[in-house]
């Protein structure tokens, strides 16, 4: 095992004066690991309603912005009027009925609560 700078072994030896720091030229490089695979597991079919990406580039790479259909928005707004904070069972039900992921439902409710907060503050 190579003792790199700031390892426990290197620090112990350096306090006794016996270690030399490892330079970047001598250190072997390992390729970066791909950690994007788990994100795709929850992604539903992109050809279904509510999964069309809007035109134009966004700042955040990854999932394209969801364009909700009128029926999806109507059902989400109805649910929001009944209860501003969505429970796990209602989130699962809405996701199944509207053909959206649970994270999309959760995010929509978070954004809708912020919109509601801005509207009530502006009215004062």
């Amino acid at each position: 095992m190579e003792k790199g700078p700031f390892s426990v072994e290197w620090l112990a030896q350096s306090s006794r004066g016996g270690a030399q720091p490892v330079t970047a030229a001598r250190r072997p490089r390992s390729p970066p690991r791909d950690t994007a695979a788990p994100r795709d597991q929850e992604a539903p079919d992109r050809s279904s309603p509510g999964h069309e990406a809007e035109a134009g580039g966004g700042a955040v790479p990854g999932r394209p912005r969801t364009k909700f259909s009128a029926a999806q928005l109507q059902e989400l707004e109805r649910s929001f009027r009944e209860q501003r904070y969505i429970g796990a069972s209602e989130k699962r039900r809405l996701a199944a009925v509207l053909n959206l992921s649970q994270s999309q439902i959760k995010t929509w409710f978070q954004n809708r609560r912020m919109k509601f907060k801005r509207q009530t503050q502006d009215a004062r």
Side-chain angles (χ1 to χ4, degrees), residues 4 8-10 14 22 24 27 39 45-46 49 54-56 61 67 71 74 80-81 84 87 89 91 98-99 104 109:
V8 175
E9 295 84 5
W10 183 83
S14 67
V22 177
R27 191 176 308 148
R39 181 182 178 136
D45 180 22
R46 303 265 194 236
E54 286 187 358
K67 185 173 181 187
Q74 184 178 4
F80 182 79
R81 280 192 303 272
R84 288 193 196 121
S89 60
K91 190 189 321 175
L98 301 177
N99 197 21
Q104 286 174 308
F109 267 81

Side-chain angles (χ1 to χ4, degrees), residues 7 12 17 29 55 69 82 93 102 112 118 122:
S7 69
R29 296 272 177 171
S69 69
E82 290 176 4
R93 184 192 73 79
Q102 291 183 36
R112 186 60 181 87
R118 281 192 309 270
D122 290 346

Side-chain angles (χ1 to χ4, degrees), residues 70-86 90 93-94 97-98 108-109 112:
Q72 287 171 329
L73 287 172
Q74 184 178 4
E75 182 65 20
L76 287 165
E77 288 288 350
R78 183 196 62 76
S79 184
F80 182 79
R81 280 192 303 272
E82 290 176 4
Q83 196 168 4
R84 288 193 196 121
Y85 288 86
I86 189 166
E90 178 67 5
R93 184 192 73 79
L94 278 173
V97 169
L98 301 177
W108 186 90
F109 267 81
R112 186 60 181 87

